[in-house]
């Protein structure tokens, strides 16, 4: 199967004797399957004992289709060969508990955490709530979500060292979000590891992080032949009209076939037996509930306690359940509701658990939860949720317990769990004012989940319970912040503008926060009326040292060539005053980038890069600015790494605009590297994710990338059309910050296609618009454009202006382009001796960067100038992928595979695999040769930074 392709599997049953299919070891005793030959073969291929690569498979189907039976079979087959298995099963009651699924999965291997690097071990232990004592738990830093994922990746890699590892997650739709994010990280990063991840999920369930890009095994209904064969395997074969009705009502669902046959076994052969028409899931729950009603009272109590338990293997909860004696459990086992094995008693199917729980009167369920809460004194989070489930009216003590649970979840990085606990705490709070405050807290926290609908729901709850402008504004601001990362920027700005108006009316300090978020929308949309609105509101914000960085952000993002330009001299002082605070550093780095202080921006991003993601999994506003700063400085591999990280996170969270920003960045680097087809694919994907009128910044950046891809192919007609799209029909800027960066490229394409005069008019119109606030970089680009478009007798002074001083060295690729253009012009003026040094310098820079199309053009110009440049392609290093280049550089500086993996969020085995593959490409045989290789490369090409 190809990625994303759904395998149309065969047919089967969850618990009937029958043949298994495919080669391999015989499974240990357990349920066998009927009719699922294709599915079994697929599962066997994934868990083959000799596998040496990673595999992810989503096993998808309706309740009762047999997903769990197939996953059980995979576990038995794997354990039968002596290999290790990690397993977790989702449950609705554990979904609000941060990292509950991860803790369940890793419980058997917690002793192995000691072998992890210190930072990873600390992050994972904190996430799992394994701090040494209560004081440590309270003071531990919130673990970086990526560091937690890396710890699990490293652990899984280590566990798979002796033999391949199987990770099985059943009922993944009920796994808590924090654990699901870690599993998604693992799935994306375990390439090359001998690890198989099988995820069982209900059809149509939303599974963030796994919704695309992975193979799916769809467990569909049984065929008529398989369904009849399954009925024939039952202890009492249904016949006649009863059989026909069962076949019709079950609609090919294996569990329904078995249970409907069981339900009619003691009735008259031609009797109705089954009421209807109910959906299959509801019908099965009713059948299971009917079984429960006929059990002894002691068994019913035991079943209800088991159903109310958060985790079947939670030791404290287990102490509150009756012993697994025949007198208690045997009737339920005979009824097919539970099964007993070496690990204890568990329900045979999630639907059984649901039926047992919901069939009981509320008062009985309440008593069960209270009994469990009494047993869970050492599990405060589970205790709090049990108390909440037992609450019949508002209860301040239970609400307080949930608030404490939320605090612990937030410190562990479980934002979804924290928001859920705060929401339930609000429901149980006796006072409306406290309810509104808790819902506002929940909305702030839920922003980090990326679930816009949830944040909007929480904000609506605040409005229903309070008329306090501060609380309402805080909840609305949370909604607006999340809206900025989606594609609907008009709606986002309208909301943030209302919040700002209300904050201004009440002189709330939230005004500056609202304007900071609104400025991001203004940047994305490029809408001029939004700038005017922001400036009007900003006039009401008093100057203060505390708000200096945020005020600088608003000014620069809204109007970098106007009000923002005056901030440039103050930037170093503001950055020094930030004192390592991640949020302020990131904001000021973005300001530096917007003002074309590229080296300062890159240095500041370097300082903040490890911290700006630590507050949650969502990209901050304008997060791609880091990548653009790196690209402009010539650090193209770093730019691609930023783009990949943001695209990965944004795609998983459904934040289309953030993903589009990342894809335009990657498309631009790909075009410069001479990969036009890949660049076009990425740019076109970005355009498909947004409305170009709502996201003008993405639209122009994508068009610029498409134009550069066309230049790489020598298609200057297409290049001109794409670059021209950065301006309106009248020649105005489509986007105030991005469009000016296209001017020189537009001029170069215009000269080649005979559009010199209209391009010159457009360039001068843009220059007048930019005015005296034009940055040094834009001045150099405008002068390059003027030189290309000018008549021969006027061109040289513009070329000289474009190359004057050392400032242009901050942007090595653009400086090399200007050298190439000037050298070409000099050669055509028959000033060959003057052209040669310029062309040689341009070629050196292009080679260092790996810009293949421009390398070829520079070499052609040198040949025309009488110099035969050596035939070497870009250096061996530039032939490597960006990730491989990073690994090589870090290894050359003496970092171990584990240390490199921690830097790049890879497993040590993956790092080693990359080095093994790149050594032959680099012509070396030992790690010690890497430093000499890098030193030689720098001596040959020089450095343009």
């Amino acid at each position: 199967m190809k990625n994303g392709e759904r395998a149309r599997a065969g047919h089967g049953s969850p618990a009937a004797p029958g043949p298994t299919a495919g080669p391999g070891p015989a499974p240990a005793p357990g349920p066998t399957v009927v009719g699922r030959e294709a599915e079994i073969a697929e599962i066997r291929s994934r868990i083959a004992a000799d596998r040496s690569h990673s595999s992810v498979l989503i096993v998808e189907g309706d309740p009762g289709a047999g997903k769990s039976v197939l996953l059980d079979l995979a576990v038995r087959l794997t354990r039968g060969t002596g290999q290790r298995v990690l397993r977790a099963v989702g449950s609705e009651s554990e979904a609000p508990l941060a990292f509950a699924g991860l803790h369940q999965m890793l419980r058997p291997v917690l002793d192995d955490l000691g072998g992890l690097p210190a930072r990873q071990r600390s992050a994972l232990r904190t996430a799992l709530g394994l701090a040494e004592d209560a004081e440590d738990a309270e003071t531990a830093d919130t673990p970086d979500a990526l560091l937690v994922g890396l710890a699990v990746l490293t652990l899984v890699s280590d566990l798979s060292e002796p033999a391949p590892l199987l990770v099985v997650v059943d009922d993944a739709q009920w796994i808590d979000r924090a654990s699901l994010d870690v599993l998604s990280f693992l799935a994306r990063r375990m390439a090359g590891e001998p690890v198989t991840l099988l995820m069982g999920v209900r059809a149509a369930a939303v599974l963030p992080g796994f919704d695309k890009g992975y193979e799916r095994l769809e467990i569909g209904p049984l065929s008529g032949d398989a369904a009849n064969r399954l009925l024939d395997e039952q202890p009492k074969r249904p016949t006649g009209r009863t059989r026909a009705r069962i076949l019709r009502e079950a609609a090919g669902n294996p569990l329904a076939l078995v249970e409907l046959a069981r339900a009619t076994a003691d009735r008259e052969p031609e009797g109705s037996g089954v009421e209807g028409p109910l959906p299959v899931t509801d019908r099965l729950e009713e059948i299971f509930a009917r079984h429960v009603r006929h059990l002894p009272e002691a068994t019913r109590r035991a079943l209800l306690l088991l159903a109310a338990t958060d985790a079947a293997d939670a030791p404290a909860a287990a102490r509150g359940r009756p012993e697994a004696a025949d007198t208690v459990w045997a009737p339920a086992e005979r009824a097919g509701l539970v099964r007993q094995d070496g690990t204890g008693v568990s329900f045979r199917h999630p639907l059984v658990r649901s039926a047992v729980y919901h069939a009981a009167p509320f008062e009985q369920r309440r008593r069960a939860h209270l009994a469990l809460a009494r047993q869970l004194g050492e599990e405060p989070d589970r205790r709090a949720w049990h108390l909440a489930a037992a609450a019949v009216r508002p209860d301040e003590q239970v609400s307080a317990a949930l608030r404490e649970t939320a605090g612990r979840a937030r410190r562990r990085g479980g934002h979804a769990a924290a928001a859920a606990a705060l929401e339930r705490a609000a429901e149980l709070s006796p006072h409306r004012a406290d309810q509104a405050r808790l819902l506002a807290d929940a909305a702030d926290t839920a922003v980090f989940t990326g679930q816009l609908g949830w944040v909007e729901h929480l904000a609506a709850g605040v409005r229903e319970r309070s008329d306090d402008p501060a609380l309402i504004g805080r909840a609305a601001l949370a909604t607006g912040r999340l809206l900025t990362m989606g594609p609907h920027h008009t709606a986002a700005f309208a909301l943030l503008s209302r919040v700002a108006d209300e904050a201004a009316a009440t002189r709330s300090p939230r005004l500056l926060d609202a304007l900071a978020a609104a400025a991001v929308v203004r940047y994305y949309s490029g809408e001029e009326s939004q700038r005017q609105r922001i400036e009007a509101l900003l006039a009401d914000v008093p100057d203060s040292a505390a708000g200096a960085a945020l005020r600088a952000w608003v000014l620069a993002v809204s109007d970098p060539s106007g009000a923002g330009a005056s901030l440039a001299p103050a930037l170093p002082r503001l950055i020094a005053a930030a004192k390592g605070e991640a949020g302020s550093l990131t904001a000021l780095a973005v300001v530096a980038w917007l003002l074309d202080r590229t080296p300062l921006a890159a240095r500041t991003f370097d300082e903040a890069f490890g911290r700006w993601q630590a507050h949650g999994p969502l990209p901050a506003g304008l997060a791609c600015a880091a990548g653009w700063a790196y690209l402009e400085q010539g650090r193209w591999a770093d730019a691609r790494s930023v783009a990949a990280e943001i695209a990965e996170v944004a795609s998983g969270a459904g934040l289309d605009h953030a993903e589009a920003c990342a894809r335009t960045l990657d498309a631009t680097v790909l075009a410069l590297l001479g990969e036009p087809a890949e660049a076009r694919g990425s740019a076109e994907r970005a355009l498909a994710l947004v409305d170009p009128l709502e996201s003008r910044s993405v639209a122009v950046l994508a068009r610029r990338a498409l134009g550069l891809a066309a230049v790489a192919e020598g298609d200057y007609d297409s290049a001109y059309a794409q670059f021209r799209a950065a301006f309106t029909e009248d020649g105005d800027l489509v986007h105030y910050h991005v469009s000016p960066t296209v001017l020189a490229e537009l001029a170069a394409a215009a000269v080649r296609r005979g559009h010199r005069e209209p391009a010159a008019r457009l360039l001068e119109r843009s220059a007048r618009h930019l005015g005296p606030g034009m940055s040094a970089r834009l001045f150099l680009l405008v002068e390059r454009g003027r030189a290309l478009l000018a008549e021969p007798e006027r061109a040289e002074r513009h070329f000289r202006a474009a190359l004057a001083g050392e400032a242009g060295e901050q942007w090595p690729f653009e400086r090399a382009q200007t050298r190439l253009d000037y050298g070409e012009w000099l050669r055509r003026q028959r000033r060959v001796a003057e052209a040669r040094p310029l062309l040689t310098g341009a070629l050196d820079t292009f080679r260092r960067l790996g810009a293949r199309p421009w390398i070829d053009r520079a070499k052609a110009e040198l040949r025309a100038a009488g110099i035969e440049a050596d035939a070497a392609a870009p250096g061996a290093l530039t032939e490597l992928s960006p990730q491989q280049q990073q690994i090589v550089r870090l290894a050359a500086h003496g970092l171990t595979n584990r240390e490199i993996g921690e830097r790049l969020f890879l497993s040590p085995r993956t790092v080693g695999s990359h080095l093994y593959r790149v050594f032959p490409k680099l012509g070396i045989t030992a790690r010690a040769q890497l430093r000499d290789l890098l030193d030689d490369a720098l001596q040959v090409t020089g450095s343009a930074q």
Side-chain angles (χ1 to χ4, degrees):
M1 291 182 292
K2 296 179 181 179
N3 280 350
E5 186 178 274
R6 293 181 180 271
R8 301 303 306 179
H11 311 289
S13 119
T20 59
T32 55
V33 292
V34 170
R36 295 292 190 194
E37 288 81 7
E39 291 93 329
I40 294 172
E42 179 67 25
I43 293 290
R44 283 182 180 274
S45 71
R46 302 291 176 142
I47 62 173
D50 61 348
R51 65 188 188 277
S52 59
H53 59 279
S54 64
S55 177
V56 179
L57 182 66
I58 313 298
V59 182
E60 182 180 73
D62 291 326
K67 304 181 298 298
S68 297
V69 172
L70 286 170
L71 295 178
D72 287 344
L73 176 63
V75 170
R76 297 199 314 276
L77 288 171
T78 302
R79 285 178 174 157
T81 63
Q83 298 176 47
R84 205 163 202 171
V85 178
L86 298 179
R87 190 171 193 183
V89 180
S91 69
E92 289 177 281
S93 59
E94 285 205 326
L97 298 171
F99 297 108
L102 188 63
H103 193 283
Q104 185 188 155
M105 185 181 89
L106 298 181
R107 184 187 293 266
V109 295
L110 291 179
D111 290 344
D112 294 284
L113 267 56
L116 294 174
R119 290 178 65 238
Q120 296 179 33
R121 181 175 64 253
S122 176
L124 184 53
R125 287 183 61 84
T126 301
L128 295 178
L130 300 176
E132 297 298 331
D133 52 42
E135 185 177 348
D136 288 346
E138 292 296 325
T139 59
D141 292 335
T142 300
D144 186 328
L146 293 179
L147 198 56
V148 174
L150 178 60
V152 175
L153 175 63
T154 304
L155 179 62
V156 164
S157 177
D158 289 347
L159 292 172
S160 67
E161 189 71 36
L165 176 71
L166 174 65
V167 180
V168 174
V169 181
D170 201 1
D171 282 318
Q173 73 278 354
W174 290 329
I175 291 289
D176 65 278
R177 180 60 186 269
S179 296
L180 199 60
D181 288 341
V182 172
L183 289 166
S184 175
F185 179 95
L186 176 66
R188 294 189 300 268
R189 299 286 181 146
M190 66 184 195
E193 305 286 346
V195 179
T196 296
L197 173 60
L198 301 180
M199 304 278 288
V201 62
R202 287 190 176 183
V206 176
L207 201 62
F210 291 92
D211 55 341
K212 55 188 174 183
Y214 296 107
E215 296 177 70
R216 308 182 92 83
L217 182 64
E218 188 174 274
I219 313 300
L222 291 169
S223 67
D225 176 69
N228 275 294
R229 186 151 54 95
L230 176 57
L231 290 180
D232 288 340
E233 296 286 351
Q234 301 312 302
K236 187 171 181 180
R237 297 172 57 246
T239 59
R241 289 171 54 196
T242 300
R243 184 185 186 97
R245 185 171 184 186
I246 290 172
L247 288 168
R248 182 176 68 253
E249 297 287 349
N253 184 286
L255 185 61
L257 286 162
V258 172
E259 297 303 330
L260 292 174
R262 185 192 297 267
T264 59
D266 297 326
R267 298 173 183 267
E268 290 297 319
E270 300 300 321
S272 60
V274 182
E275 289 82 13
L278 290 171
V280 168
T281 301
D282 292 342
R283 184 185 308 281
L284 288 172
E285 286 195 349
E286 172 56 30
I287 290 171
F288 293 138
R290 187 182 307 154
H291 291 327
V292 173
R293 288 195 289 269
H294 297 294
L295 295 175
E297 183 178 352
T299 302
R300 293 201 305 272
R301 286 200 305 270
L303 284 172
L304 179 56
L305 202 60
L306 182 63
T309 300
D310 283 334
D313 61 348
R319 290 197 297 271
R321 296 199 301 268
E323 293 299 323
D326 288 344
T327 55
V328 174
W329 296 116
E333 193 168 16
R334 286 195 299 270
L337 301 176
V338 300
R339 58 188 171 204
Q340 297 189 71
D341 53 32
T343 61
V345 181
S346 60
F347 286 109
R348 193 162 57 83
H349 193 277
L351 290 178
V352 180
R353 177 180 183 167
S354 178
V356 168
Y357 186 81
H358 292 292
F362 173 75
E363 184 56 34
Q364 292 180 17
R365 298 201 303 268
R366 181 173 179 272
R367 287 198 297 268
H369 284 295
L370 288 173
L372 289 165
R374 285 192 294 272
Q375 295 293 326
L376 288 165
E378 297 179 1
E379 302 257 5
D381 295 335
R382 285 182 165 89
R383 179 178 180 274
W385 280 105
H386 280 299
L387 290 172
V392 294
R393 61 183 62 86
D395 188 317
E396 178 57 35
Q397 288 186 331
V398 178
S399 179
L402 286 168
R403 294 197 296 273
E404 292 174 2
T405 287
R408 284 187 291 270
R410 193 185 290 117
R411 286 191 294 274
R412 292 160 58 191
H415 300 289
L422 289 167
E423 183 177 19
R424 183 62 174 138
E427 293 170 357
L428 292 175
S429 178
H431 309 294
R432 288 179 65 84
D434 290 338
Q435 293 171 13
R437 178 180 52 79
L438 288 168
L439 287 174
D441 290 343
D444 281 340
T445 304
V447 167
F448 295 108
T449 71
Q451 299 178 45
L452 178 60
W454 189 12
V455 175
E456 289 175 329
H457 171 74
L458 293 168
V462 175
R463 292 193 300 272
E464 290 171 5
R465 291 165 175 80
S466 176
D467 56 5
D468 181 351
L471 282 179
I472 294 171
R474 183 152 68 93
L477 181 57
T479 306
R481 281 173 170 158
L482 200 49
L483 273 173
T484 64
M485 298 180 217
H488 305 299
H489 293 122
T490 300
F493 190 86
L495 174 59
L496 291 166
S497 184
R498 287 199 303 273
V499 174
D501 280 335
E502 292 163 2
T506 59
R507 298 187 178 276
S508 167
R510 203 168 306 283
L511 172 57
L512 196 53
D513 293 328
L515 291 178
V520 176
V521 181
R522 146 69 174 164
Y523 184 88
Y524 290 152
S525 71
E527 178 59 48
E528 174 62 15
S529 63
Q530 293 177 359
R531 178 192 66 79
Q532 297 168 358
R533 184 82 184 109
I534 289 170
E535 288 188 358
L537 286 165
L538 193 61
D540 294 331
V541 180
D543 289 332
S544 70
L550 211 51
R551 189 183 187 92
W553 163 277
V554 174
L555 288 169
V557 174
S558 301
D559 187 15
S561 64
S566 62
L567 294 167
L571 270 179
R573 175 178 53 80
L574 290 171
I575 290 170
K579 296 178 180 176
E581 200 281 315
S584 294
L585 278 176
T586 303
L588 291 168
V590 172
V591 171
W593 169 70
L594 288 166
L595 301 182
D596 286 327
R597 298 287 300 275
T598 305
L600 179 61
R603 286 196 304 272
T604 309
F605 276 125
D606 285 342
E607 184 178 350
F609 195 75
R611 296 190 289 267
W612 66 285
Q613 299 172 92
H615 299 295
L618 302 186
L622 297 182
C624 271
W628 289 113
Y630 294 149
L631 182 150
E632 291 158 12
Q633 202 184 30
R635 295 165 56 180
W636 292 358
D638 291 339
R640 291 201 70 192
S641 293
V642 170
E645 200 67 60
I646 294 175
E648 184 177 87
V649 172
S651 176
L655 302 175
D656 289 349
H657 184 86
E659 181 183 352
C661 290
R663 294 197 181 280
T664 58
L665 171 59
D666 198 48
T668 303
V669 184
L670 286 168
L672 296 176
L673 290 170
E675 303 289 348
E678 292 183 46
R680 274 196 301 274
S682 194
E684 288 166 359
R685 170 64 177 159
L687 288 172
L689 286 167
V690 299
D691 178 348
L693 296 179
E694 292 257 4
S695 300
R696 293 185 181 92
S697 61
V698 166
V700 176
L701 287 166
R703 295 297 178 191
R704 187 177 73 175
L706 289 169
L708 289 169
V711 169
E713 294 179 315
D715 181 359
Y716 290 97
D717 283 324
S718 295
Y720 180 81
Q722 296 293 352
F723 295 142
R724 183 62 180 78
F727 305 88
T728 68
E729 188 173 338
D730 294 334
D732 292 328
L733 305 174
V734 168
H735 189 271
Y736 62 96
H737 181 248
V738 183
S739 291
T741 66
V742 184
L743 287 168
E745 300 293 353
L746 175 69
V751 169
R752 289 177 177 268
R753 304 317 304 163
H755 302 300
R756 188 186 299 266
E757 289 186 11
R761 288 195 300 270
L762 188 151
L763 185 146
E764 295 305 326
R765 183 186 183 103
S766 297
R768 287 193 298 273
H769 174 83
L770 293 169
M774 189 187 310
S775 71
R777 178 188 175 213
L778 290 182
F779 172 80
L780 297 178
L781 290 175
V782 167
E783 287 299 308
R784 178 189 168 215
R786 283 170 170 160
L788 290 166
L789 296 168
E791 296 299 326
E793 63 274 11
R794 300 175 55 198
E796 186 162 19
R797 68 185 180 92
H798 293 298
F799 276 127
R800 289 185 176 275
L803 289 172
E806 298 297 320
E809 301 298 333
Q810 300 174 70
W811 307 286
F813 179 74
E814 293 168 3
R815 173 56 59 104
Q817 284 181 298
T818 305
R819 286 189 175 117
L820 176 59
D821 291 335
Y822 189 19
E824 182 180 20
W825 184 87
L826 286 170
R827 182 187 62 77
R828 291 180 178 176
Q829 300 300 311
R830 301 183 183 279
R831 295 160 60 181
V832 176
E834 295 174 73
R836 288 170 178 167
L838 289 165
L839 296 174
T840 300
L843 178 60
D844 286 345
T845 299
F846 294 144
R847 278 181 168 166
R848 180 178 64 80
L849 297 173
R852 293 179 183 84
W854 286 267
I855 291 169
D856 293 341
R857 182 179 156 198
K859 287 167 63 176
E861 285 298 324
L862 276 169
R863 281 194 298 272
I867 297 178
E868 188 62 41
D870 65 75
L877 280 173
T878 65
E879 298 289 346
L880 306 180
S881 71
Q883 188 176 78
Q884 289 172 333
Q885 291 182 42
Q886 287 181 297
I887 290 170
V888 165
R889 289 190 176 97
L890 292 172
H893 285 89
L895 275 69
T896 66
N897 287 2
R898 276 186 180 269
E899 290 168 336
I900 295 170
E902 189 160 349
R903 291 275 191 97
L904 303 182
F905 299 102
L906 300 171
S907 75
R909 190 203 302 267
T910 299
V911 173
S913 177
H914 277 300
L915 289 172
Y916 177 81
R917 290 197 298 270
V918 303
F919 275 19
K921 296 180 182 179
L922 299 176
I924 61 176
T925 58
R927 199 181 189 106
Q929 297 173 273
L930 287 173
R931 182 178 289 277
D932 291 339
L933 180 92
L934 290 181
D935 289 344
D936 290 346
L938 288 173
Q939 289 173 9
V940 170
T941 61
S943 174
Q945 294 187 37

